[in-house]
Amino acid sequence: MADGVHDSSWLPRSIRAAWGMEERPGRGPKPGLSLERIVDAAIRLADRDGLDAVSMSRVAKELGASTMALYRYVDAKDELLQLMVDAVYGPPPSPAANGESVRAALDRWARAELAVYRAHPWTLRVPITGPPITPNAVRWFESGLRSLGETRLTENEKMETVLLLSVYVRGIESVMREVREAFLQTARTDEDAMSVYEQSLARLIEGQDLPALQRAIASGVIGAEDEPDEEFTFGLERILDGIDAYVAWRAANPAEDS
Amino acid sequence: MADGVHDSSWLPRSIRAAWGMEERPGRGPKPGLSLERIVDAAIRLADRDGLDAVSMSRVAKELGASTMALYRYVDAKDELLQLMVDAVYGPPPSPAANGESVRAALDRWARAELAVYRAHPWTLRVPITGPPITPNAVRWFESGLRSLGETRLTENEKMETVLLLSVYVRGIESVMREVREAFLQTARTDEDAMSVYEQSLARLIEGQDLPALQRAIASGVIGAEDEPDEEFTFGLERILDGIDAYVAWRAANPAEDS
DNA sequence: GCATAACTGCGTATGTTATACACAGTGATG
DNA sequence: CATCACTGTGTATAACATACGCAGTTATGC
């Protein structure tokens, strides 16, 4: 157990490569491809035709290479997906600057994450399969943590706070997007779809004992088109309110082991 | 446009069947299967072997039928997945009872949703593909809305509040579970995996400029095993704090159109 | 200079997947 | 009794991830 536990050999090769931890062996022919080119091609495909269009053979075709060539750079498709997501994240927003409130910094952080999902919606369909270990994912986490650096939250609470935010941003945009897309498959325009859904849902629950939903439908909110970030902002404000209150509380009641 | 918009024919057949809206036609042989039996068999498979084990052919085998027989009850696999999820949701918790606070009721609601995910983790891997239209999903929404019935939130805000909660519960349990499972693939026991991750992550970011993460790691929180619902509860409390504050604010500042 | 070993790319093969289609039997309705 | 809608099934298709082995390539050790 002397050294085996301390090395990073459990990391997939391609992830290590993304961290720049892969020695280039001199032997053998020069690689015609590169991890970066493969990831870029896959992102291009996903941006254009959606995540379902990202198959190993299509990515290879995009590069003019054979399917199996990709497996010299990536052990499994799953790794490629992780690297695609990491690449579109890019560098995180800067942490709380001098004089910026924790709330403002976290608000920036959350909206920056939202912007990534808006720019590359397929990201939301890549399943999370483990802790953040890719470079940009780790850096985003760092940036969030650092904005909480001046507070008296415990280290654990800081992590939980960042996790809370990140889970919310991803989750809300994911449902909102899927709902919108389901609507668009039913009707041509957004409003058409919404009103079809509203009326059909109204009919569906007509005889049922669902008064709260019926009131919501009657109020017309479902078919109504609000400003684009309405739902996102409402939830985010509630969360930031809660975090703010807790940060203030912790300032007055510091944890013993902090 | 006279009637076509107002009927529910845009709903998949199997979803209509789940609502009990499908007339039984007298013609033809008696069905040997039923939607319910198919969904049950699929759930049994998912509980036992995970969501990946749920293929149309395996579900059919479980029932002693042919693969294609399932398509007489379900138009696509996606519908089957929706119905599986709906079935394990079951009926929602009761809405706020007399004298119960909004906060307590929403807390019960969130923890009931968590319990579903704990009982059937594969649910978290079924992608959301549209608005809630299955019976239990709609009833859960209704229950959440009803707990907010006595508040002065607008109908839209009530929906956004329920959505916020639901997104959080699903999201946090989903990441926590995937992270835990990724750890378990690396090491035998939970603690082993955690400490391997901790030490490897420490080594990974050793040379990097990631001070906040390094402090978090140094504090030992990553490898530490807290009580099982620690992360879930922390985020939930922040959210409920934020909702509570907003409900109180709305009580003093009612919306004009409510 | 040359043999070797490590490496890259590729063609082929395998097993699995969802689902389209056509056909055979079935049973109530005209 | 004929019709016709319905159920179950076998076959076929196209796509998928990926294991394997071979052929060609290049720096290293002699």
Side-chain angles (χ1 to χ4, degrees):
Chain A
M1 207 220 222
D3 235 342
V5 167
H6 286 272
D7 76 357
S8 311
S9 55
W10 61 277
L11 276 177
R13 230 189 2 189
S14 64
I15 306 285
R16 262 183 298 157
W19 279 97
M21 309 178 69
E22 203 70 337
E23 336 76 61
R24 171 140 305 289
R27 235 74 89 93
K30 310 241 147 84
L33 298 174
S34 73
L35 196 51
E36 208 194 344
R37 286 221 304 145
I38 293 173
V39 170
D40 282 353
I43 290 174
R44 221 176 310 131
L45 260 173
D47 281 342
R48 193 198 313 142
D49 302 323
L51 192 62
D52 288 345
V54 178
S55 75
M56 296 304 268
S57 79
R58 277 207 272 258
V59 172
K61 188 156 293 175
E62 183 86 5
L63 290 163
S66 82
T67 304
M68 294 313 290
L70 306 186
Y71 286 94
R72 295 288 178 199
Y73 301 84
V74 156
D75 280 338
K77 185 189 179 181
D78 181 76
E79 285 178 27
L80 174 56
L81 295 177
Q82 302 302 320
L83 294 173
M84 290 168 65
V85 172
D86 193 70
V88 301
Y89 270 144
S94 61
N98 273 351
E100 189 183 23
S101 69
V102 168
R103 187 196 186 97
L106 294 183
D107 188 87
R108 266 196 307 118
W109 191 90
R111 289 181 191 278
E113 192 181 343
L114 178 65
V116 169
Y117 298 139
R118 291 274 168 88
H120 305 280
W122 49 264
T123 311
L124 297 163
R125 288 192 135 119
V126 176
I128 293 171
T129 57
I133 47 173
T134 52
N136 285 329
V138 168
R139 287 183 204 121
W140 275 74
F141 214 88
E142 162 78 16
S143 164
L145 285 180
R146 219 188 284 189
S147 291
L148 291 163
E150 300 297 314
T151 69
R152 309 217 46 179
L153 300 193
T154 68
E155 292 303 316
N156 202 19
E157 286 167 347
K158 287 177 195 166
M159 296 190 57
E160 288 166 340
T161 300
V162 175
L163 190 59
L164 163 57
L165 262 187
S166 142
V167 152
Y168 170 69
V169 175
R170 182 184 164 93
I172 191 76
E173 179 64 8
S174 178
V175 276
M176 293 305 293
R177 172 148 232 115
E178 295 295 343
V179 167
R180 206 158 38 231
E181 261 168 33
F183 285 161
L184 287 179
Q185 286 202 339
T186 303
R188 311 231 182 287
T189 78
D190 231 331
E191 299 93 37
D192 264 15
M194 280 301 221
S195 82
V196 166
Y197 174 64
E198 183 185 355
Q199 297 181 19
S200 302
L201 187 60
R203 200 163 202 251
L204 202 60
I205 68 179
E206 213 167 54
Q208 320 277 333
D209 182 31
L210 300 167
L213 252 178
Q214 269 155 354
R215 256 208 296 170
I217 291 173
S219 85
V221 280
I222 295 187
E225 191 62 22
D226 35 29
E227 58 252 47
D229 290 348
E230 165 68 19
E231 291 87 0
F232 174 81
T233 300
F234 180 84
L236 180 61
E237 291 295 320
R238 290 327 118 230
I239 290 176
L240 292 177
D241 286 349
I243 291 174
D244 248 12
Y246 192 74
V247 167
W249 181 83
R250 259 284 183 249
N253 306 48
E256 289 162 16
D257 56 339
S258 122
Chain B
M1 208 221 220
D3 235 341
V5 168
H6 287 271
D7 75 355
S8 311
S9 56
W10 60 278
L11 275 178
R13 229 183 4 174
S14 63
I15 306 285
R16 261 183 298 157
W19 279 97
M21 307 178 70
E22 202 71 335
E23 336 78 60
R24 172 140 304 291
R27 235 73 88 95
K30 309 242 146 84
L33 299 173
S34 73
L35 196 51
E36 207 194 344
R37 284 220 306 145
I38 292 173
V39 171
D40 282 353
I43 290 174
R44 222 177 307 134
L45 260 174
D47 282 342
R48 193 198 311 144
D49 302 322
L51 193 62
D52 287 346
V54 179
S55 75
M56 297 303 268
S57 77
R58 278 206 273 259
V59 172
K61 188 157 289 173
E62 183 87 5
L63 291 163
S66 82
T67 304
M68 293 313 291
L70 305 186
Y71 286 94
R72 296 289 177 198
Y73 300 84
V74 157
D75 280 337
K77 187 190 179 182
D78 180 76
E79 286 178 25
L80 174 56
L81 295 177
Q82 302 303 319
L83 294 172
M84 290 169 65
V85 172
D86 192 70
V88 300
Y89 269 143
S94 61
N98 274 352
E100 188 182 25
S101 69
V102 168
R103 186 194 188 100
L106 294 183
D107 188 87
R108 268 198 304 118
W109 191 90
R111 289 182 190 279
E113 192 180 343
L114 177 65
V116 170
Y117 298 140
R118 292 274 168 88
H120 304 281
W122 49 265
T123 311
L124 296 164
R125 287 192 137 119
V126 177
I128 292 172
T129 57
I133 47 171
T134 52
N136 285 328
V138 168
R139 288 183 203 121
W140 275 74
F141 215 88
E142 162 78 16
S143 164
L145 283 180
R146 221 189 283 187
S147 291
L148 291 164
E150 300 298 313
T151 70
R152 308 217 45 177
L153 301 194
T154 67
E155 292 302 315
N156 202 19
E157 286 168 348
K158 288 178 194 167
M159 296 190 57
E160 288 166 340
T161 300
V162 175
L163 190 58
L164 163 58
L165 262 186
S166 143
V167 152
Y168 170 69
V169 175
R170 181 185 165 96
I172 190 76
E173 178 63 8
S174 179
V175 278
M176 293 305 293
R177 171 148 234 115
E178 296 295 342
V179 167
R180 205 157 40 230
E181 262 168 32
F183 285 161
L184 288 179
Q185 286 203 338
T186 304
R188 312 232 180 286
T189 77
D190 231 329
E191 298 93 38
D192 265 14
M194 280 301 221
S195 82
V196 166
Y197 174 65
E198 184 185 355
Q199 297 181 19
S200 302
L201 188 60
R203 199 161 202 252
L204 203 60
I205 69 180
E206 214 166 53
Q208 319 278 333
D209 181 32
L210 301 166
L213 252 178
Q214 269 155 355
R215 257 206 298 167
I217 291 173
S219 85
V221 282
I222 296 188
E225 190 65 21
D226 35 29
E227 58 252 45
D229 290 347
E230 166 67 18
E231 290 87 2
F232 174 81
T233 299
F234 180 85
L236 180 60
E237 292 294 320
R238 290 327 117 229
I239 290 176
L240 291 177
D241 286 350
I243 291 174
D244 249 11
Y246 193 75
V247 167
W249 181 83
R250 259 285 184 248
N253 306 56
E256 288 162 16
D257 58 339
S258 119

